[in-house]
Amino acid sequence: MLKSFTFDTFKLSRSATKQIFGTHQHYCTLNANQSHGQSVEVRKALEGWDEKLKDAGVGDIEFNLKCLVAHVLKRKFSTLKSYKTEKFTAEQHSEFSRLCEARCARMPLQYILGEWDFMDLTLKTAPTVFIPRPETEEFVSKVIEEYRNVQQPIDMLEVGCGSGAISLAILNALPHVTSTAIERSKAATTLAWENAKSLKLSDRFTPYNHTTSENNYLPKELADRKFDLIVSNPPYVRTEEFPLLQPEVTIYENLNALDGGQDGLQIARLVFDLACLYLRRGGKLWLELGSEHPPLVKTIMNLKYEGRLRFISSYIDQYKRDRFVEIEKV
């Protein structure tokens, strides 16, 4: 687990970046002068990188290396069985070495690759745009199962769509759903729209660049709308927990997409208020939160939202942590 994000850490990141490009130039020169276009067996190219990645604190090294090999070879991860017997060209060897250096600098694998699989979709990724976690796939699966057998059209709102992962996965699985999404990051809003277009889901997905705040929950264009379903994976990390996060997160990801304030529910409370105004009676609000939050949310519903919102249930993730919350508009 991580050290706190200080100016010294930032300087380390800049230094590591210089090392990445310096190493890249070194390998290019080496390959040009010595390899003369000759191929290199992947097994040979891998030598030493497992130790370097281990020393850098990277986990699941075999998985990381295989992902990088697949990316350089322009192959699907699942098609590389005995990948160590594959061969790199000199140029590919140079590219692989540069990407390994980037991973040693703790750049997230998703940013290095520029794309990542989420459920049945391949999404473009970009630095500063929040990377969806595996647990979010479980969250989305819960929502999909809830609405799979519903016959009528469902008008859904997502609060904080990031790369579009949640909305687009639901749209891909449920053709009777349309999604409107709001996102405060311009870069993320643009990326979500690009993902929707590349996946041919843009006809049912409309993202807005908007920062939700008290009494300004939605863009003016949506002021008169009511939704059947609201989903959100809001920032839920308590501010005091930031020193415990991994370097991949604190150095490279957008911390605004993680900071849930003192108790981790600062943004979730805005979503509760938004749901009171824009969720149809009988409609559902689904949230992915921290493991300590469902009991707090249940208490908040009983104390502050009685007669408006009703806590239905919470659900555990694959690690047996209570994470997902279902709420109904009364």
Side-chain angles (χ1 to χ4, degrees):
M1 301 297 282
L2 153 88
K3 309 171 179 176
S4 54
F5 182 53
T6 63
F7 184 64
D8 287 338
T9 307
F10 177 66
K11 288 194 292 184
L12 174 63
S13 175
R14 294 180 61 188
S15 174
T17 302
K18 291 178 181 178
Q19 291 175 12
I20 292 168
F21 288 99
T23 303
H24 176 52
Q25 293 172 353
H26 165 74
Y27 279 109
C28 284
T29 303
L30 182 65
N31 285 329
N33 293 339
Q34 298 181 9
S35 298
H36 300 292
Q38 294 180 359
S39 62
V40 180
E41 193 173 52
V42 168
R43 188 187 312 278
K44 182 72 174 177
L46 289 170
E47 289 181 359
W49 285 117
D50 54 350
E51 286 299 320
K52 289 183 180 180
L53 289 167
K54 182 179 178 181
D55 291 343
V58 175
D60 204 350
I61 292 170
E62 179 78 9
F63 174 76
N64 276 261
L65 288 172
K66 186 175 179 181
C67 282
L68 294 177
V69 170
H71 179 71
V72 171
L73 292 175
K74 295 179 168 44
R75 296 270 298 278
K76 282 289 186 181
F77 181 90
S78 59
T79 67
L80 285 178
K81 303 300 181 184
S82 55
Y83 70 100
K84 294 180 182 179
T85 60
E86 299 283 341
K87 289 188 177 182
F88 286 145
T89 64
E91 292 76 17
Q92 288 172 331
H93 186 197
S94 174
E95 175 71 0
F96 175 73
S97 299
R98 185 179 69 84
L99 299 183
C100 284
E101 288 287 353
R103 192 67 186 100
C104 285
R106 302 301 291 270
M107 180 179 287
L109 189 60
Q110 295 90 336
Y111 291 161
I112 294 173
L113 303 181
E115 63 180 29
W116 198 249
D117 288 344
F118 183 84
M119 299 190 72
D120 298 326
L121 308 177
T122 298
L123 300 170
K124 296 177 185 176
T125 60
T128 75
V129 178
F130 184 70
I131 300 167
R133 272 50 176 179
E135 302 94 306
T136 302
E137 294 192 12
E138 297 180 73
F139 171 68
V140 172
S141 295
K142 287 281 186 187
V143 176
I144 289 172
E145 286 309 308
E146 176 78 9
Y147 289 90
R148 188 179 297 280
N149 296 321
V150 175
Q151 300 300 317
Q152 66 267 30
I154 296 169
D155 197 3
M156 180 178 78
L157 171 70
E158 182 179 2
V159 181
C161 68
S163 63
I166 292 176
S167 278
L168 297 177
I170 292 173
L171 295 180
N172 186 58
L174 303 177
H176 56 295
V177 175
T178 57
S179 176
T180 301
I182 56 174
E183 169 56 52
R184 63 180 170 183
S185 163
K186 290 183 179 179
T189 307
T190 299
L191 183 63
W193 181 239
E194 289 177 356
N195 278 323
K197 289 190 292 184
S198 68
L199 295 168
K200 296 180 171 51
L201 294 170
S202 57
D203 59 327
R204 293 187 287 132
F205 179 69
T206 308
Y208 290 84
N209 179 219
H210 178 79
T211 300
T212 297
S213 59
E214 190 173 354
N215 298 321
N216 184 28
Y217 299 105
L218 293 180
K220 292 179 180 179
E221 300 94 319
L222 304 177
D224 298 325
R225 293 279 296 278
K226 294 285 185 181
F227 297 92
D228 305 302
L229 168 65
I230 298 176
V231 295
S232 184
N233 178 14
Y236 58 75
V237 177
R238 297 197 306 270
T239 305
E240 65 181 28
E241 293 177 323
F242 271 56
L244 303 176
L245 298 176
Q246 294 283 353
E248 285 89 341
V249 176
T250 57
I251 295 174
Y252 295 99
E253 291 202 60
N254 181 359
L255 299 185
N256 286 331
L258 295 166
D259 191 354
Q262 185 175 358
D263 65 355
L265 291 174
Q266 179 178 327
I267 305 302
R269 285 184 169 86
L270 290 173
V271 180
F272 299 154
D273 292 340
L274 182 156
C276 289
L277 296 172
Y278 297 101
L279 192 58
R280 288 192 177 95
R281 181 172 296 179
K284 297 289 184 65
L285 166 63
W286 283 79
L287 298 163
E288 179 182 349
L289 299 169
S291 57
E292 72 276 20
H293 290 137
L296 292 175
V297 171
K298 185 174 184 178
T299 300
I300 291 170
M301 291 298 109
N302 292 335
L303 293 178
K304 185 176 179 182
Y305 294 93
E306 185 177 5
R308 295 184 293 167
L309 298 174
R310 182 167 65 93
F311 185 92
I312 298 295
S313 186
S314 61
Y315 305 91
I316 60 173
D317 65 13
Q318 60 184 311
Y319 304 109
K320 308 302 181 184
R321 300 175 303 186
D322 210 12
R323 293 286 310 284
F324 315 133
V325 170
E326 179 184 6
I327 296 169
E328 183 179 36
K329 173 70 178 294
V330 177

